Amino acid sequence: MDHTDPGGSRRASWRVGRLTAPNPSLETLTGTNSYLVGGGPKGCAIIDPGPDDPGHLDRLRALANRRGGARLILLTHGHHDHVAGAARLRARTGARILAFSRDLVPEADAVLVDQAVIRLGDTTLTALHTPGHAADHLCFHLPARRVLFAGDLVAGVGTVFIAPPDGDLGQYLDSLRRALALSLRRIFPGHGPTVTNPGSLLRGYLEHRAEREAQTLAALDSHESMGTIDDLITAVYADLEPARRTLAALQMRALLRKLEHDGKVRRLDFADGGARWHRVN
């Protein structure tokens, strides 16, 4: 599906195309969104080619050819559902792969530092290092249009999972605040529909995490200032579906790591391999 910004000309070189990969799941929603940005004599960039699915990559290449051909493959982060198709797409298009870290994305041809500027004709993107969901996470900002290609910083529906040790909740909250300060008009997320109310969504994400933190501290108080992961999940996540309990445990571990870092809780490990957390007053 090829989408253009309704506020601009369809011939504008900054126009955005989106193709959703056929990899739906609990984590990916309807699938991973791949984006095409730019077009004309300088070609276009593809953001997150998604899974190594030949049909999806063929469709991406066909869309890119309508825009002068793919010149760059930009990766928001090294998670499999975003990057697995990158090497095959490079082989089919000759586009260079750019990512934040070759350690986490070995197939990258070059690395992007924070604030790196990427130009394709009159389309200019800025890479922003936004760790939290992943240590190597990048967003791509189109400042002229107040648009952000957000990868897994946010989702079009629901919230984003933070899984330690690669995920870090404190860094993630800082990255959300950085995005909020951009005064965006639109966010193109890695999963789900386009976000047309970025300020409201980003503030809602921050409020949601603050609420979870308050609930967790209150739950520790109700357990005589000590609790296990299972205790806290039961107390904080009301009516949790069994299929989501493992994901909730990852979220709780990320939150407890942040609270430990903030000096609000302390972890106690036991000889049987179990652990409990208690409040620090």
Side-chain angles (χ1 to χ4, degrees):
M1 187 182 259
D2 194 9
H3 297 271
T4 56
D5 189 294
S9 164
R10 187 167 182 84
R11 294 186 299 274
S13 64
W14 68 276
R15 71 191 189 277
V16 175
R18 183 183 70 215
L19 187 68
T20 301
N23 62 334
S25 72
L26 185 63
E27 293 86 357
T28 64
L29 303 179
T30 56
T32 302
N33 291 328
S34 300
Y35 293 101
L36 300 95
V37 190
K42 298 292 185 180
C44 68
I46 295 174
I47 299 175
D48 285 351
D52 189 9
D53 179 278
H56 176 68
L57 298 177
D58 281 344
R59 288 188 288 275
L60 271 179
R61 181 176 60 175
L63 285 173
N65 286 342
R66 289 164 48 188
R67 296 162 175 261
R71 298 292 183 267
L72 297 173
I73 297 169
L74 307 178
L75 302 179
T76 60
H77 61 297
H79 288 173
H80 187 265
D81 59 310
H82 290 257
V83 308
R88 189 187 298 268
L89 186 62
R90 173 176 58 192
R92 294 184 178 187
T93 64
R96 298 173 70 235
I97 299 172
L98 306 183
F100 181 76
S101 168
R102 278 203 186 96
D103 291 335
L104 297 173
V105 184
E107 56 267 56
D109 296 302
V111 298
L112 291 168
V113 299
D114 185 49
Q115 298 285 355
V117 175
I118 304 143
R119 292 186 176 88
L120 277 170
D122 58 1
T123 299
T124 300
L125 294 164
T126 302
L128 303 177
H129 185 214
T130 48
H133 174 72
D136 64 331
H137 197 281
L138 292 171
C139 291
F140 296 99
H141 184 210
L142 190 60
R145 297 291 174 173
R146 295 166 52 203
V147 160
L148 189 72
F149 297 90
D152 282 352
L153 180 68
V154 301
V157 176
T159 56
V160 169
F161 295 113
I162 310 298
D166 186 43
D168 183 288
L169 182 56
Q171 292 181 344
Y172 178 68
L173 296 176
D174 287 342
S175 293
L176 289 175
R177 295 184 189 104
R178 186 180 190 187
L180 184 59
L182 297 174
S183 298
L184 298 166
R185 188 172 57 86
R186 186 162 301 180
I187 292 177
F188 294 103
H191 306 282
T194 300
V195 176
T196 57
N197 57 341
S200 176
L201 180 120
L202 290 164
R203 285 189 290 271
Y205 267 46
L206 289 164
E207 290 165 4
H208 170 73
R209 298 290 178 172
E211 181 181 5
R212 283 283 187 246
E213 179 171 324
Q215 290 171 331
T216 299
L217 292 173
L220 285 172
D221 285 337
S222 69
H223 283 81
E224 298 181 352
S225 298
M226 187 175 290
T228 66
I229 290 283
D230 282 340
D231 291 336
L232 295 170
I233 291 173
T234 299
V236 172
Y237 291 89
D239 303 320
L240 182 68
E241 300 171 18
R244 294 181 176 269
R245 194 168 184 88
T246 299
L247 296 175
L250 290 173
Q251 297 296 88
M252 183 57 67
R253 287 186 185 279
L255 175 53
L256 289 168
R257 283 167 63 98
K258 176 188 179 294
L259 293 174
E260 286 182 73
H261 180 269
D262 293 345
K264 295 181 180 180
V265 306
R266 183 175 298 159
R267 172 177 171 147
L268 298 176
D269 293 305
F270 294 92
D272 63 0
R276 288 178 178 270
W277 284 260
H278 71 95
R279 288 290 304 269
V280 175
N281 296 320

